[in-house]
Amino acid sequence: MRCRKIWAAVAASLVSLTAAATEFRSSDIHPDDYPTVTAVRFMGERLKQLSGGKHTIKVFPSGALGGEKETIEQAKIGALQMVRVNVGAMNNVCPETIVPTMPFLFRSVDHLHKVLDGPIGADILKACEKQGFVGLAFYDSGARSMFTAKRAVRSFADMKGMKVRVQQSDLWVSMLEAMGANATPMPMGEVYTGLKTGLIDAAENNYPTYESARAFEVAKYFTKTEHSMAPEILLFSKRAWDRLSAEEQGWIRQAAKESVPYMRKQWADREARSLAIVKAGGAEIIEIDKAPFQAAMKPVYDKFITDAQLKSLVKRVQEVQ
Ligand code: GTR
């Protein structure tokens, strides 16, 4: 069934790609007004202008085309032209995306921007090409923190035995295990129900997702562990890319680049708005000593930053001032 669905999508995308004007399809799990969605729409408008009306982008929000893991697979085979996902969702596919996902790696948003806007960011985007994806841009995603349903996390010890939903990534499983938790990988779309039914005790994310997924209604304790600043990534299917001319590829790259500052502005506004919404909705925002969390991450670095390439990337990130 799933296979049939994918091949129907391949056929549909081939039809639209051969038409004179192309509408690239882009997927996102977030709702219509989320900054990642509005940024790709903005990119589509710029692409339309740059290409003299030849190319546009249609964003499918709210997971309409599937979860992140599924849509990554669709883009890989060329059934879908674009995906906007978190780097975490790419960890098992493109090892270099492990680096910006690593816990407590970025010292600040400014540090993150300097790294992603410079040669290190470009190297990570480029690295995804050999896996079938043209990396177009990184978008902001703030810092991820823990939110829990029944009992609050007020110290590192409170993590013990907690059943925490994580992204479908081996790195994420290890990170939460290193915190003493019981990691449960599942798609984002199942988090609300998981928390509500008690299948999981907790999850972790930034304010905008905690708010837009309505997780604050079922997990009211939000503990500011800020353990990862894993950014969002915008990818183009290499299969679809290779059918485009250099000029067309240039327009796409340019439009994606221009969407980054637009997204950052939207993101900053949304973070503030989401925080206000969750507080008004009864969430308790808890400050915590992050030092024990950070100290517990050493084995995670030892396990995942193993080869020379990843070691060098981590070192280069740390050296950026
Ligand atoms: C969000 C991110 C999504 C997805 C989600 C998750 O912050 O924007 O792309 O990765 O987290 O935890 O699955």
Side-chain angles (χ1 to χ4, degrees), residues 30 68 84 86 141 144 165 167 188 205-206 209 232:
H30 288 304
E68 299 202 333
R84 192 296 311 161
N86 187 263
S141 195
R144 297 177 74 105
R165 175 269 170 177
Q167 296 188 63
M188 181 66 215
N205 224 306
N206 50 41
T209 295
E232 315 291 358

Side-chain angles (χ1 to χ4, degrees), residues 53-302:
K54 192 172 176 206
H55 296 303
T56 53
I57 299 172
K58 183 170 167 69
V59 186
F60 291 80
S62 305
L65 300 180
E68 299 202 333
K69 195 164 180 273
E70 272 177 290
T71 50
I72 287 170
E73 285 164 12
Q74 290 178 34
K76 176 142 183 138
I77 61 168
L80 180 61
Q81 291 82 48
M82 291 172 66
V83 275
R84 192 296 311 161
V85 292
N86 187 263
V87 282
M90 285 294 287
N91 290 165
N92 289 2
V93 180
C94 171
E96 287 80 356
T97 63
I98 283 178
V99 173
T101 316
M102 288 309 284
F104 302 103
L105 178 68
F106 298 109
R107 297 182 301 271
S108 63
V109 174
D110 190 47
H111 181 211
L112 170 99
H113 287 169
K114 275 195 188 134
V115 169
L116 298 182
D117 294 347
I120 308 172
D123 285 354
I124 297 170
L125 291 176
K126 177 92 188 134
C128 294
E129 243 169 75
K130 51 184 186 302
Q131 315 301 340
F133 304 90
V134 175
L136 293 177
F138 288 109
Y139 287 149
D140 277 20
S141 195
R144 297 177 74 105
S145 287
M146 210 64 61
F147 44 88
T148 56
K150 293 200 189 79
R151 56 181 176 90
V153 171
R154 297 187 193 275
S155 71
F156 181 72
D158 291 338
M159 291 297 302
K160 188 113 199 101
M162 187 94 43
K163 219 168 170 207
V164 184
R165 175 269 170 177
V166 290
Q167 296 188 63
Q168 292 154 295
S169 140
D170 298 339
L171 168 61
W172 273 103
V173 170
S174 284
M175 258 196 251
L176 269 294
E177 280 176 353
M179 293 181 197
N182 186 346
T184 309
M186 59 165 79
M188 181 66 215
E190 291 166 26
V191 171
Y192 180 90
T193 312
L195 288 166
K196 200 178 163 127
T197 59
L199 179 69
I200 46 172
D201 305 315
E204 52 75 53
N205 224 306
N206 50 41
Y207 289 131
T209 295
Y210 178 53
E211 172 257 308
S212 69
R214 312 300 294 175
F216 67 98
E217 294 173 354
V218 283
K220 72 171 185 140
Y221 305 105
F222 186 99
T223 304
K224 286 175 71 183
T225 47
E226 300 182 329
H227 48 271
S228 168
M229 291 179 78
E232 315 291 358
I233 188 167
L234 183 62
L235 301 162
F236 206 95
S237 160
K238 177 95 169 52
R239 278 214 170 170
W241 184 260
D242 289 343
R243 288 198 287 264
L244 300 169
S245 70
E247 188 186 35
E248 292 171 309
Q249 293 171 351
W251 294 329
I252 296 169
R253 284 203 188 276
Q254 176 66 23
K257 193 168 177 211
E258 289 181 24
S259 71
V260 173
Y262 174 87
M263 195 280 175
R264 285 184 185 166
K265 166 89 184 64
Q266 304 271 310
W267 181 257
D269 292 351
R270 180 61 178 248
E271 265 191 323
R273 194 148 46 90
S274 294
L275 178 56
I277 294 171
V278 300
K279 276 185 175 166
E284 184 190 346
I285 310 296
I286 302 161
E287 298 289 339
I288 193 165
D289 176 13
K290 289 186 246 174
F293 284 84
Q294 193 162 357
M297 293 303 115
K298 168 108 182 32
V300 182
Y301 275 78
D302 293 346

